[in-house]
Amino acid sequence: MKPNEFGPFSPEEINRKAQGLIQPEYGLFIDGEWAPSATGKTIELYNPATGAVLTKIQAGGAADVEKAVQAAHRAFSSWSQSAPRERQEILLEMARRLRKRLDDYAMIETLNNGKPISEARVFDIPMAISLFELFAGGAYTLHGKTIDYPDAVGMVHREPYGVCAQIIPWNVPIIMMANKIAPAIVSGNTVVLKPAETVCVSVLEFFREMQDIIPKGVVNVVTGFGGDVGPHLVEHPLVQKVAFTGSVGTARKILEYSTKNIIPATLELGGKSANIVFADADLDAAVEGAVMCNIFNKGEVCLSGTRLFVEESILDVMLDKLKDTLAKVRIGDPTNPATQLGPQASLAQFKKVCGYFDLAREEGAEIAIGGKPAKVPGLDQGYFVEPTLFTKVDNKMRIAQEEIFGPVTCVIPFKTEEEALQLANQSFYGLGGGLWTKDLRRAHQISRGMQTGTIWVNRYYNFKEGMPVGGYKQSGVGREFSLDALEHYTQTKSVVINLNEGPLGIFSH
Ligand code: NAI
Ligand code: MG
């Protein structure tokens, strides 16, 4: 490839890519119509590679939530009684339309979130498509059951809850949207979705395109700040279910709101996952996996293996290989197909990551590579940071216990299997995890011993359609990304039909 063929592009060139793909302003999507917020306020969204304003969204509030919940409530009676075939067909059409414009959606996700376009094309949009297809298949799996008695027949029906509040984050917005709305609507619920106030253009574009196939009110979208929309939405008496992905702190608030209505909550809350490398592992594969954990989606991934535990005998060689590979990572314009590491998604996230560089020094860790903002020629307003390795880390340090959500890995040596497992489990979180070894007995025993929802043996981020994702401990409640999610969107109703005739005779004396 020629040096200039893939950039760095200028901010002007990058912003031009938004033309025709991104509207200057987005409304709220309520009852099948787009309208401004009753607050009269808007929020600016940025392109994190250039720091330039990308578009504006509505800063929704209580009155908008009221309209959206009423619309979803009105839509519920007919939607919940629609044919499985109809619900399936809508999800399949969503998948078809996403696939048709895969490159456009990938570019939109990249322009707003900063993720490399190469990732958006092969990961984000394809995963959203496969989620719609997976849950389309779920339309015919919503079986109840029957139980026979000598004098009665019992029928257990599975019924949708009603209006669901769904609140999603900014790191993988289109995946999160698909992962939330698909199981909810395929099982006959209606939705009020609140996307993140920093990254949500792809989600809004999706609903613009799908407007003609979504029956009025079945999905409504209220954008805005969490504190302005969240409590009104989750506490609304007509809302029957809440699902949230984001931080533990916000999850605690969601749970508090949910006590008003006594509604169930599905929560997915990030992690500080262990990635354990034993001396017998394929080292090059393990290095590749550890580097992927570091840079994939700029490290803004809830499942990332951010605590890298390395058997002491291979620590030096592993560190050398890691530094070598990380030093060659191509940081830059995320719309450039050759780029491997883009900017953090927002200024707030950039500042948060940089704060951990200072904390690492204060806590007495060492920075083996990185540890500062990255300079990208032509993009000096972008939120770039260097891929970073912390060494001399104690697992009890805050840098090893708190989710950083950046291209940052803590490297921690261990001596024995027991120690590796004990350190891995020394965390409030338990979402993802990795394990590298050729020993089958060890792979099996350690993975069963790890207190976490997903473990990838000998390949990190080995996402397989239909495998459940969800947290142990404070990483959350419930399972998503699989048909198991349908359990969270249906409740059972028991109907017992008496097969005897006449009264029991209790009062005839
Ligand atoms: P957050 O949890 O505050 O935001 C996630 C979503 O919740 C957004 O849509 C936000 O508007 C909404 N929200 C915020 N306050 C709310 C409230 N009171 N009621 C209802 N909804 C509310 O996360 P934030 O501040 O964007 O990121 C902070 C950290 O959280 C990140 O650095 C990362 O460590 C973690 N995080 C984890 C994610 C995951 O995938 N599990 C995703 C995003 C963030
Ligand atoms: Mg927050």
Side-chain angles (χ1 to χ4, degrees):
M1 113 194 31
K2 293 188 216 90
N4 279 330
E5 199 171 338
F6 290 117
F9 299 118
S10 67
E12 294 71 31
E13 271 176 277
I14 295 173
N15 291 335
R16 257 202 304 281
K17 296 186 184 190
Q19 279 170 16
L21 287 182
I22 297 179
Q23 306 295 308
E25 183 172 337
Y26 291 89
L28 305 173
F29 182 56
I30 298 174
D31 212 11
E33 312 277 336
W34 293 89
S37 165
T39 64
K41 295 191 185 129
T42 56
I43 303 170
E44 289 180 331
L45 300 191
Y46 295 87
N47 178 336
T50 62
V53 173
L54 197 59
T55 180
K56 280 191 285 192
I57 59 167
Q58 304 300 306
D64 304 310
V65 169
E66 183 61 34
K67 267 177 67 188
V69 172
Q70 293 293 351
H73 182 67
R74 280 193 303 274
F76 179 68
S77 54
S78 64
W79 181 247
S80 59
Q81 285 166 42
S82 59
R85 165 103 211 163
E86 183 187 343
R87 301 196 295 267
Q88 178 177 62
E89 186 48 43
I90 289 174
L91 295 196
L92 289 176
E93 179 61 14
M94 288 173 169
R96 279 193 286 270
R97 291 186 185 184
L98 273 177
R99 185 174 280 118
K100 210 164 163 193
R101 290 189 55 218
L102 190 149
D103 283 342
D104 288 347
Y105 282 103
M107 181 57 79
I108 293 166
E109 205 72 315
T110 289
L111 288 168
N112 193 185
N113 168 279
K115 67 182 66 216
I117 187 83
S118 57
E119 290 180 10
R121 275 186 192 143
V122 305
F123 180 73
D124 296 72
I125 315 306
M127 188 181 267
I129 294 168
S130 76
L131 283 164
F132 282 117
E133 290 170 340
L134 172 75
F135 287 110
Y140 289 101
T141 69
L142 297 158
H143 302 145
K145 61 182 175 185
T146 58
I147 307 178
D148 293 312
Y149 303 90
D151 58 347
V153 59
M155 292 179 291
V156 183
H157 299 276
R158 281 176 77 182
E159 298 190 343
Y161 279 97
V163 181
C164 301
Q166 301 189 315
I167 300 168
I168 58 171
W170 41 264
N171 54 336
V172 284
I174 204 147
I175 293 175
M176 282 296 148
M177 177 275 298
N179 184 40
K180 292 283 187 274
I181 74 161
I185 64 178
V186 81
S187 41
N189 299 277
T190 58
V191 169
V192 178
L193 179 75
K194 197 210 85 69
E197 64 274 24
T198 43
V199 188
C200 60
V201 180
S202 59
V203 172
L204 296 167
E205 275 299 325
F206 174 88
F207 286 103
R208 264 168 45 86
E209 182 169 357
M210 307 302 162
Q211 186 172 353
D212 63 318
I213 54 167
I214 302 175
K216 277 186 193 313
V218 167
V219 184
N220 307 272
V221 184
V222 179
T223 53
F225 294 109
D228 296 342
V229 176
H232 302 296
L233 179 56
V234 183
E235 292 180 359
H236 198 290
L238 292 177
V239 168
Q240 302 296 325
K241 155 88 195 160
V242 59
F244 168 76
T245 300
S247 63
V248 174
T250 299
R252 291 207 171 90
K253 293 185 193 164
I254 303 274
L255 283 175
E256 271 172 40
Y257 310 150
S258 75
T259 62
K260 285 271 167 66
N261 296 337
I262 318 285
I263 57 174
T266 308
L267 306 168
E268 195 270 272
L269 312 175
K272 192 76 181 179
S273 299
N275 187 19
I276 309 176
V277 185
F278 288 95
D280 71 337
D282 177 337
L283 268 201
D284 290 331
V287 167
E288 183 187 72
V291 169
M292 270 177 66
C293 282
N294 189 286
I295 65 165
F296 186 67
N297 203 33
K298 307 92 63 45
E300 292 164 352
V301 188
C302 48
L303 286 152
S304 177
T306 47
R307 292 182 301 144
L308 179 64
F309 295 104
V310 182
E311 191 163 349
E312 207 172 54
S313 61
I314 55 161
L315 181 64
D316 291 342
V317 42
M318 182 93 191
L319 270 176
D320 286 346
K321 281 174 185 274
L322 280 171
K323 280 191 281 188
D324 243 35
T325 313
L326 286 172
K328 291 187 201 122
V329 163
R330 292 188 294 270
I331 310 176
D333 170 7
T335 68
N336 175 337
T339 292
Q340 294 170 318
L341 179 61
Q344 302 314 123
S346 64
L347 187 57
Q349 197 54 34
F350 169 83
K351 286 183 179 161
K352 179 182 166 186
V353 175
C354 292
Y356 279 97
F357 296 153
D358 299 334
L359 181 64
R361 294 182 188 98
E362 280 166 38
E363 290 193 295
E366 281 178 14
I367 294 175
I369 186 169
K372 55 182 189 299
K375 296 221 180 324
V376 174
L379 298 177
D380 47 357
Q381 303 299 307
Y383 314 140
F384 297 92
V385 303
E386 291 185 353
T388 299
L389 287 182
F390 294 152
T391 52
K392 303 270 160 29
V393 179
D394 184 298
N395 192 54
K396 293 204 175 85
M397 289 177 180
R398 281 181 55 202
I399 54 168
Q401 288 294 313
E402 295 174 12
E403 185 172 57
I404 298 175
F405 241 48
V408 182
T409 309
C410 291
V411 185
I412 303 174
F414 68 87
K415 286 197 182 66
T416 64
E417 232 175 86
E418 295 68 37
E419 190 192 6
L421 188 57
Q422 187 246 328
L423 288 168
N425 286 339
Q426 200 179 76
S427 170
F428 292 112
Y429 287 113
L431 190 65
L435 194 52
W436 304 80
T437 179
K438 290 183 181 137
D439 181 333
L440 191 58
R441 186 238 4 118
R442 175 192 272 160
H444 184 68
Q445 281 183 337
I446 301 277
S447 51
R448 295 303 303 271
M450 285 168 79
Q451 295 156 357
T452 191
T454 292
I455 294 148
W456 287 294
V457 180
N458 293 334
R459 176 163 300 170
Y460 212 96
Y461 289 146
N462 199 1
F463 288 104
K464 293 293 178 208
E465 293 90 346
M467 289 292 285
V469 174
Y472 276 44
K473 300 193 264 187
Q474 290 184 24
S475 285
V477 180
R479 295 294 178 266
E480 298 181 301
F481 289 93
S482 79
L483 294 178
D484 300 50
L486 298 175
E487 297 286 334
H488 305 311
Y489 287 98
T490 49
Q491 53 192 340
T492 61
K493 173 180 283 173
S494 295
V495 177
V496 180
I497 300 184
N498 176 30
L499 298 179
N500 286 336
E501 293 198 39
L504 284 169
I506 301 170
F507 305 110
S508 54
H509 37 93

